[in-house]
Amino acid sequence: MPPPPPLRFAANVSWLFQEIPDLPGRICAAARAGFPAVEVAWPYAADPGEVKAALRETQLELVLINTPPGDVAAGELGLGAVPGRQDGFRADLQQAVTWARDLSCKRIHIMAGRVPEGIDRASIEKEMEETFIENLRYAADILDQNGIVGLIEPINCRISEPRYFLNTPHQGASILQKVGRPNVKMQMDLYHWQIMDGNLTENIKKYFPLIGHVQVAQVPHRNEPDSPGELHFPYLYDLLQGLRYQGYIGCEYKPQGDTTAGLGWMETYRRRCEDRDTAE
């Protein structure tokens, strides 16, 4: 068997290159920095024609967008699991599909949303799960017609999002099993997985068949992968390569300073791969 190919990284331009104010400008900055692809949380405030032109000019692939967050002023962060908001979810999904189709993006993160304010999680968890499963099955059919993969992402409730419904890889895997659609997968953000459960080696191996996208950031401060923290990324990269992960790895972290100045980790990874190829 030939050696596994090097991993591919996508700049999350909602987090990186914030020194540049506009989305098309960030896409161009990502290309200059050597990224082959980008991802963006919510592109919807930008001009779609300008975004498309920037992708065409740079020849970068847009690999991921999120469904719209809903009413941010009312505290919403996606509607996938929010009871009573199915009509809003479907409208937001259609908006995301329209953007993804126009920009040739093949993955949409379907945001679960938060437990409604003032309601105890335990009292509504079953209803939220049933709503999420219903909405994911609906989404799977729409996405399948457009050649798009839907993703659900466990987001930690210890630091980032205390009221987010979907928190752990185990919960995500259980929901995917109940949804039962091959084009709905799990988005593994190693930052969230480490905070919620740790045990990354075994969890990555166990849930690898369900993983449709990967994101990285150091723990606990969510900075560059080579910044001080809990995670040893050279080991994790080797693990993903050994499992023959074929997708992109989204760089969803907070740069400690200038984005480009903090990209030394990417060059270190490239050289490590070259040295290993030479040794073999």
Side-chain angles (χ1 to χ4, degrees):
M1 181 180 293
L7 300 172
R8 300 177 297 167
F9 296 93
N12 186 307
V13 290
S14 297
W15 289 72
L16 306 188
F17 304 105
Q18 290 195 29
E19 53 270 22
I20 299 170
D22 62 290
L23 180 54
R26 292 181 186 183
I27 291 170
C28 293
R32 289 193 297 271
F35 284 99
V38 293
E39 59 181 34
V40 58
W42 300 297
Y44 308 108
D47 182 290
E50 293 179 0
V51 175
K52 191 171 185 177
L55 292 169
R56 187 188 309 114
E57 176 187 342
T58 59
Q59 297 186 334
L60 295 193
E61 183 181 355
L62 177 62
V63 298
L64 175 72
I65 63 173
N66 296 351
T67 52
D71 188 345
V72 176
E76 292 178 340
L77 189 63
L79 301 176
V82 182
R85 297 300 309 277
Q86 283 90 333
D87 288 346
F89 169 79
R90 293 184 178 195
D92 285 350
L93 175 69
Q94 187 55 56
Q95 184 181 14
V97 168
T98 298
W99 274 77
R101 191 171 54 216
D102 191 43
L103 299 176
S104 301
C105 178
K106 298 301 183 182
R107 296 168 197 82
I108 294 176
H109 168 206
I110 302 170
M111 302 202 72
R114 294 172 172 143
V115 174
E117 194 75 56
I119 298 178
D120 178 66
R121 179 186 290 267
S123 69
I124 199 174
E125 188 163 11
K126 184 174 184 294
E127 184 181 3
M128 291 191 74
E129 180 177 293
E130 291 171 348
T131 301
F132 201 23
I133 292 168
E134 173 195 337
N135 282 333
L136 288 172
R137 286 174 176 163
Y138 171 85
D141 292 339
I142 301 297
L143 297 177
D144 186 56
Q145 295 168 17
N146 292 276
I148 297 171
V149 172
L151 300 167
I152 63 171
E153 180 187 17
I155 296 177
N156 83 82
C157 61
R158 292 178 173 154
I159 296 175
S160 301
E161 285 293 335
R163 291 191 296 114
Y164 201 74
F165 171 69
L166 179 59
N167 304 136
T168 71
H170 320 298
Q171 182 190 10
S174 175
I175 288 170
L176 289 179
Q177 183 179 31
K178 293 170 184 175
V179 171
R181 301 297 177 85
N183 68 325
V184 182
K185 294 183 174 293
M186 189 128 63
Q187 182 169 314
M188 179 179 70
D189 188 321
L190 292 170
Y191 171 80
H192 296 305
W193 282 35
Q194 169 68 5
I195 290 170
M196 288 305 297
D197 196 65
N199 195 29
L200 287 180
T201 298
E202 293 307 313
N203 280 338
I204 291 171
K205 289 179 178 178
K206 180 177 181 179
Y207 296 120
F208 186 75
L210 301 177
I211 293 171
H213 189 61
V214 176
Q215 291 177 323
V216 295
Q218 185 57 277
V219 179
H221 302 300
R222 209 168 188 176
N223 299 134
E224 287 89 346
D226 64 347
S227 61
E230 299 174 18
L231 299 182
H232 183 59
F233 277 99
Y235 169 81
L236 294 170
Y237 295 152
D238 286 349
L239 177 60
L240 288 169
Q241 274 190 262
L243 291 169
R244 296 188 174 268
Y245 175 66
Q246 298 294 303
Y248 280 97
I249 295 181
C251 302
E252 190 182 70
Y253 62 78
K254 295 182 291 187
Q256 297 177 96
D258 177 79
T259 299
T260 303
L263 291 176
W265 64 267
M266 200 160 61
E267 177 63 17
T268 299
Y269 174 76
R270 185 186 66 80
R271 289 180 180 175
R272 188 162 172 264
C273 289
E274 289 179 350
D275 290 345
R276 183 164 49 198
D277 290 345
T278 301
E280 292 174 353

